Amino acid sequence: PRVEVRGVTAPRAVVSVNGEVIDVDDQGRFTAVVTLEEGPYLIQVIASDVSGNLLEEDLVVIFEG
């Protein structure tokens, strides 16, 4: 199955989900689709803005097929 990871950050920020850079719109919104495998799955979101601020969030999703 696939899950959608959505969020909001600072406009012009750089966002990656599991190492893949994701487009951020003019309001700072982003969306990524992640394909899950059975069992626990780590989704890592990293955002950095033009001021050098960095935020990392690790999410664990458990898929039981």
Side-chain angles (χ1 to χ4, degrees), residues 1 4 11 13 17-18 33 40 42 45 47 49 55-56 58-61:
E4 193 172 87
V17 176
N18 287 355
V33 177
L42 175 68
V45 180
D49 65 15
L55 177 64
E56 180 178 329
D58 293 332
L59 312 165
V60 177
V61 177

Side-chain angles (χ1 to χ4, degrees), residues 1-7 17 30-36 43 45 59 61:
R2 297 165 24 127
V3 295
E4 193 172 87
V5 178
R6 290 189 267 170
V17 176
F30 64 90
T31 302
V33 177
V34 175
T35 301
L36 299 179
I43 299 173
V45 180
L59 312 165
V61 177

Side-chain angles (χ1 to χ4, degrees), residues 34-52:
V34 175
T35 301
L36 299 179
E37 297 177 17
E38 192 165 339
Y41 190 84
L42 175 68
I43 299 173
Q44 182 181 58
V45 180
I46 300 174
S48 60
D49 65 15
V50 294
S51 299

